[in-house]
Amino acid sequence: GAVVSQHPSRVICKSGTSVKIECRSLDFQATTMFWYRQFPKQSLMLMATSNEGSKATYEQGVEKDKFLINHASLTLSTLTVTSAHPEDSSFYICSASVRGRGNQPQHFGDGTRLSIL
Amino acid sequence: DAKTTQPNSMESNEEEPVHLPCNHSTISGTDYIHWYRQLPSQGPEYVIHGLTSNVNNRMASLAIAEDRKSSTLILHRATLRDAAVYYCIRAGWGAQKLVFGQGTRLTINP
């Protein structure tokens, strides 16, 4: 089955640090990747949709200058949390799918737990 | 707005069938019904999806009502590893974004 790898799985860093999270589709080409955030005991919230080679589309209330998304290839998207603060501590999850072939399921990474001290 | 309604929690016993309901009374004619599940500290896992007809795969079955206003995810023989939060989601054609609701937390008793 389709595999999405997310790295790192856990990050602990000081306030003010920028953190980059990678999302790779290992055995398929992902024309679209999605980034979600999940706070404890809550559901997943979509942050942005990223199509290969174009700018990401951010959901309302998500700061595009704080959460930088790059989707330069069909197998890699990155999320950079710039100048992270404790309130950015969360579980970040990416997913990937293939556009244009009917209604395709999304394949999720195992998430990155970000803790800002 | 997730546009689906699920019970907050359900409980079942190991090796018994589990029927997880989902209401999507305002579903459009082109929306698919997707089910994902999330184990603790992991990303969601795709379970099954369908449009009108009932669907079966190695993980589960999806029974869709004739009027498409509701559906039921069926785990034929629950194991302890099926304990997770199950999300029922409406999604349009193509690689559409998913809107997650609160899902149903399924507990499996040994």
Side-chain angles (χ1 to χ4, degrees):
Chain A
V3 178
V4 174
S5 174
Q6 196 171 334
H7 179 79
S9 58
R10 183 168 186 121
V11 180
I12 302 172
C13 58
K14 294 181 179 179
S15 185
T17 307
S18 291
V19 178
K20 180 186 280 189
I21 302 169
E22 291 188 350
C23 179
R24 294 180 184 271
S25 56
L26 298 186
D27 51 1
F28 68 103
Q29 292 186 328
T31 49
T32 307
M33 287 185 169
F34 302 87
W35 287 95
Y36 297 83
R37 182 167 53 180
Q38 186 175 33
F39 292 107
K41 298 192 186 303
Q42 294 187 22
S43 188
L44 283 79
M45 284 176 36
L46 180 67
M47 299 175 67
T49 301
S50 166
N51 292 303
E52 184 264 339
S54 61
K55 289 185 178 180
T57 302
Y58 290 81
E59 295 297 302
Q60 193 172 10
V62 178
E63 299 174 57
K64 64 174 81 173
D65 294 330
K66 181 164 186 66
F67 299 99
L68 301 179
I69 292 171
N70 183 282
H71 190 170
S73 79
L74 285 171
T75 60
L76 174 65
S77 176
T78 60
L79 167 69
T80 301
V81 183
T82 61
S83 187
H85 291 286
E87 59 266 28
D88 298 321
S89 299
S90 189
F91 192 47
Y92 291 86
I93 308 167
C94 72
S95 71
S97 64
V98 179
R99 187 175 54 201
R101 282 204 278 164
N103 191 261
Q104 294 298 308
Q106 288 185 23
H107 306 283
F108 288 81
D110 277 337
T112 297
R113 191 161 301 283
L114 177 60
S115 300
I116 307 299
L117 306 177
Chain B
D1 179 10
K3 301 177 185 176
T4 64
T5 305
Q6 300 177 251
N8 289 334
S9 62
M10 289 185 65
E11 201 169 323
S12 186
N13 298 319
E14 202 175 5
E15 298 187 4
E16 290 185 358
V18 180
H19 291 236
L20 295 162
C22 180
N23 182 287
H24 30 79
S25 58
T26 61
I27 194 169
S28 75
T30 55
D31 278 352
Y32 282 73
I33 300 147
H34 287 243
W35 284 82
Y36 290 81
R37 70 181 186 183
Q38 186 179 24
L39 279 65
S41 298
Q42 293 186 26
E45 174 187 28
Y46 166 76
V47 178
I48 199 166
H49 77 288
L51 183 62
T52 56
S53 305
N54 293 345
V55 185
N56 300 294
N57 66 20
R58 64 175 178 80
M59 289 182 70
S61 295
L62 176 60
I64 302 171
E66 200 168 327
D67 62 6
R68 297 206 337 118
K69 293 184 176 182
S70 65
S71 62
T72 302
L73 179 71
I74 302 165
L75 306 179
H76 294 285
R77 199 160 168 264
T79 69
L80 296 178
R81 288 178 294 180
D82 290 323
V85 178
Y86 286 77
Y87 297 99
C88 167
I89 303 171
R90 291 164 46 178
W93 180 265
Q96 299 271 342
K97 64 182 182 182
L98 300 177
V99 178
F100 284 79
Q102 291 305 308
T104 296
R105 182 173 298 278
L106 176 65
T107 300
I108 304 295
N109 300 314

